[in-house]
Structure formats: C-alpha cells, structure tokens
Amino acid sequence: MPTITSARVIVTCPGRNFITLKIETDQGVYGVGDATLNGRELAVASYLTDHVIPCLIGRDAHRIEDIWQYLYKGAYWRRGPVTMSAIAAVDMALWDIKGKLAGLPVYQLLGGASREGCMVYGHANGSDISETIERAQEYLEFGYKAVRLQSGVPGLKATYGVSGERFYYEPAKGNLPDETCWSTSKYLRSVPELFQKGRDALGWDLHLLHDVHHRCTPIEAARLGKDLEPYRLFWLEDATPAEDQAAFRLIRQHTTTPLAVGEIFNSIWDCKQLIEEQLIDYIRATVVHAGGITHLRRIAGLADLYQVRTGCHGATDLSPVSMAAALHFGISVPNFGIQEYMRHTPETDAVFPHAYSFQDGLMHPGDKPGLGVDIDEKLAAGYEYNRAYLPVNRLEDGTMFNW
C-alpha cells in the first residue's frame, strides 16, 4: 500500500493567489490538490496545515473514500467553504496519486470517457453592448461553441463580470474590498437588449449564457427569464440567492429559460431540493469548493436521476489543478452539460504545467497518469502571497447588497 509520509501547503501568487496541497508517499509518488478559496485563502491553508495534515501521515493513500469520510464526519463541524475546500484538496491529491500508481489518467479510473471532450464556454464582456458582442465574435473565431455575455449597465460605474482586461477577469483586489454600486431596475432594462443584439450579430448556432450573480429577487428573476425567452439562452445563472432553495419554485412558474446555480455550494445538501424538484437545469458546484471529485460525483449522480446536468464553475479563482480535476470529472460523468473555462495568465500556466488542452470549443484532460497537472515549486516560490478581497456591493441608497 502507498503510505502517506508527508504533506505540505504551497502558497503562491502568479497574478492571483492559489493554495496547493502536495501529498507525498513512501513509493516516491506524490499528488497535488487545489485548496483555493478566493479572498479567504489563508483560512484554508491554516485548516490544512494545522488540522488536516497531521491526520494524514501514515494513512493508506489508496483509501480515498475512507479518508474523505474521516475528514468530513470526523471533524464534527461539517460543510462550509473552508472545510470542504480543504477536503477537496486532499481528495484531488489522492486521486492524482492513485492515477499515477495505476499508470492511468484519472478519468479512466472513473469509468472512462463518456464523450470526446468537454464543451466549454468563454467570457465575453464589455463596457457596453457593442464591445461585448465584439469580444464574443473573437471567441467564435477561437472555435468556442458557447459564450457568456456580460455588459456594462448604463448609469452604473461598474458591473459584475466586466473588466478592462480583454480575456481575463479577476475581481479580487488587494488592500481592502472595493465597494461597488448596484441598481437592479437599471440592470433589468439593459439585459434583453444585450441578447437581442447578441442574437442578431452572433446568430443562433452559438450557445449564449448569462450570469445574474444572485442579484434578483425570485420574481425579478422570473421576469428576466421571461424577457429572455425569445433569445433561447443556454442558461441563466445564479438568478437569485439559493440559500432558500424553494425560491426557485417561483422562477420556474414563470419562465422556461434554463436555470443554473451552485458555484458557491459546498455539498449535496445545498442543492438536494433544487435537484429533486427539478427547479434547476444545471448544477454548478465545483470540484474545489464541494469536497473534491469524490463528493462532486455524488452530486452528479443525484442530478442524473432528475435530468439535471453539470456545468461546473471554472473561473480563474480555481487553479489549473482544479481545472484538470473538473475535466476528468466532466469527461466521465454521463450527465455532463458544459464547463466554464476562463483562461489563466501565462504566469499561472508556467507555475502549473498541465496536460489538458482546448480545440474546437472542447477541452480534454489529456492522458498523462493522474490528473496530468503539476506545480513548479521553484517558480511558485517567486510569487509571494498578496492579500486580496472580493468586492462588496451596495444599492444606490447605500444598503448592503449581494456581490
């Protein structure tokens, strides 16, 4: 049996902060896992270093399920983003080890490929509608089959999803959180025009997506979904905060626009009602924040019973380790829907060399044993941690609101 002999946390910031767990065994094989929790990275690093790693030493690295249950049930304090991100890092690293020892890519250990590749979507954003459409056309030229459209809202200085960078969007900044201003009424007036002009310019063969970012009440989201029905969106994401899963019943009563939610979910319990009542069409829980490949497969298994498909979060706050794990998961599960794909910076790609690739709108995890991704520790050491916060959001009258 491969025994865990050591484990350590690697903190690096090649343009943004990443937390990586490296687990080593007595057979000379190691695995890597992502533990990044955007804006609260060091909380997970401490949880791993101070509380999890001491419990791993001497354990059989092959016993992935048992270790997962040990860390989940044994802590007593279950769920939550810090705990589940730490468990996810361990889980990814153990799957990486198992694949390397077997001489197989992880997706082969999960039952093999269910498709030739994972369809991904890119982010087209602009300060106004014309700029957003221009960037969407660039994604078309790259071969993307699906694009998310986000545009600046007239009358607001800043809008979620819109940045000065052409292909990168990183909302977390240093010092203290930025404060942004929001108006739902102005937003609701602008989005239908974005998609009407988007369809006129981009045609009907390209899948179009949109992220509300939890900023509507259920009835506002219902109205938005109804307004967007003529443009046949692939999905409307995070239409309303999902702490109250039953809130999606109201949206479902008023629109047939497909609904996606779940990038901030931590466990199957966060989406159980949404799935069982078929209140959503896509579940967006991600491998790093929802307990790793082991737990994400449980969520996908439940979703498959109710014809809900996966659409995992894949922004740049997930390192290439998570992207690799998401692709091994996505190419293997029967009810895969789509994978978000925000390209990392060249600096990040250099720190995390990887086997996954993009071609013709699809991504493949590659066929290297394990996850097919590594960390260059020498390069990583050259990028020191830089404290960063996600923004906070206020309404025009100063009331705190959802970011």
Side-chain angles (χ1 to χ4, degrees):
M1 77 177 186
T3 301
I4 297 172
T5 55
S6 66
R8 65 184 182 279
V9 173
I10 303 164
V11 181
T12 185
C13 185
R16 68 151 349 273
N17 294 315
F18 295 110
I19 306 298
T20 306
L21 176 67
K22 188 170 186 177
I23 296 178
E24 298 174 326
T25 69
D26 63 351
Q27 296 191 12
V29 174
Y30 66 85
V32 293
D34 185 15
T36 306
L37 181 62
N38 201 359
R40 297 294 186 269
E41 298 91 352
L42 296 186
V44 189
S46 174
Y47 190 100
L48 284 166
T49 300
D50 299 329
H51 305 292
V52 172
I53 288 175
C55 298
L56 296 177
I57 308 306
R59 295 188 177 275
D60 181 354
H62 272 328
R63 298 185 64 173
I64 297 175
E65 181 66 41
D66 182 67
I67 291 174
W68 196 98
Q69 297 293 338
Y70 177 89
L71 294 175
Y72 181 79
K73 294 178 178 177
Y76 184 68
W77 311 106
R78 302 182 183 185
R79 302 163 63 186
V82 174
T83 295
M84 297 304 281
S85 296
I87 292 175
V90 175
D91 190 74
M92 280 183 255
L94 294 180
W95 278 107
D96 192 24
I97 290 169
K98 188 178 285 288
K100 288 174 179 175
L101 289 171
L104 292 169
V106 166
Y107 77 84
Q108 294 290 13
L109 303 179
L110 302 177
S114 293
R115 54 198 52 82
E116 297 305 310
C118 297
M119 182 171 70
V120 298
Y121 70 89
H123 290 199
N125 63 80
S127 59
D128 56 26
I129 291 174
S130 61
E131 187 176 34
T132 298
I133 292 172
E134 179 184 332
R135 292 186 178 178
Q137 289 170 329
E138 292 175 342
Y139 278 102
L140 261 175
E141 293 171 5
F142 291 151
Y144 282 77
K145 304 175 188 299
V147 176
R148 192 186 85 169
L149 302 184
Q150 306 289 142
S151 178
V153 175
L156 296 181
K157 291 182 180 179
T159 307
Y160 164 76
V162 177
S163 72
E165 296 289 338
R166 200 165 186 80
F167 296 111
Y168 306 106
Y169 174 62
E170 178 50 65
K173 306 296 182 184
N175 195 24
L176 292 173
D178 289 340
E179 293 201 11
T180 57
C181 183
W182 181 251
S183 167
T184 303
S185 60
K186 291 174 181 176
Y187 164 75
L188 290 176
R189 290 197 298 269
S190 71
V191 179
E193 182 184 0
L194 168 64
F195 281 90
Q196 180 246 310
K197 291 185 175 179
R199 278 298 178 210
D200 289 345
L202 302 168
W204 292 87
D205 292 332
L206 181 67
H207 296 300
L208 298 181
L209 304 85
H210 183 67
D211 185 1
V212 184
H213 221 244
H214 315 103
R215 292 183 175 182
C216 286
T217 65
I219 199 65
E220 289 169 341
R223 188 173 80 206
L224 177 60
K226 194 168 186 177
D227 288 346
L228 294 175
E229 283 179 9
Y231 312 113
R232 297 293 191 268
L233 269 64
F234 186 91
W235 78 33
L236 187 66
E237 176 187 343
D238 290 346
T240 194
E243 285 94 339
D244 178 13
Q245 296 182 40
F248 278 71
R249 292 175 185 161
L250 183 59
I251 306 174
R252 273 292 205 227
Q253 290 169 6
H254 294 282
T255 182
T256 58
T257 295
L259 302 174
V261 75
E263 72 178 55
I264 64 171
F265 289 176
N266 307 134
S267 82
I268 197 167
W269 301 103
D270 295 320
C271 52
K272 180 176 180 288
Q273 182 179 6
L274 289 167
I275 290 171
E276 290 178 340
E277 295 188 23
Q278 295 178 301
L279 301 178
I280 57 172
D281 302 278
Y282 296 90
I283 178 63
R284 301 204 64 243
T286 182
V287 65
V288 65
H289 301 138
I293 293 172
T294 296
H295 195 62
L296 201 56
R297 290 180 76 205
R298 288 197 180 89
I299 294 173
L302 175 65
D304 193 31
L305 297 179
Y306 298 95
Q307 301 187 63
V308 173
R309 291 186 284 177
T310 67
C312 294
H313 177 62
T316 49
D317 60 345
L318 281 66
S319 85
V321 179
S322 271
M323 178 55 67
L327 292 170
H328 283 280
F329 163 82
I331 205 168
S332 64
V333 294
N335 55 325
F336 171 82
I338 199 168
Q339 171 65 50
E340 181 179 15
Y341 175 47
M342 287 184 69
R343 295 167 182 263
H344 289 104
T345 62
E347 293 81 6
T348 295
D349 286 335
V351 169
F352 296 95
H354 51 265
Y356 60 75
S357 59
F358 171 90
Q359 185 175 2
D360 297 329
L362 304 178
M363 289 187 71
H364 194 282
D367 287 307
K368 286 189 175 180
L371 293 176
V373 64
D374 205 345
I375 183 168
D376 185 325
E377 294 191 62
K378 185 176 180 180
L379 268 181
Y383 297 102
E384 293 185 359
Y385 171 80
N386 182 28
R387 186 181 66 195
Y389 293 92
L390 291 170
V392 297
N393 204 27
R394 295 183 183 272
L395 299 180
E396 291 179 300
D397 68 357
T399 304
M400 279 299 304
F401 197 58
N402 302 305
W403 190 85

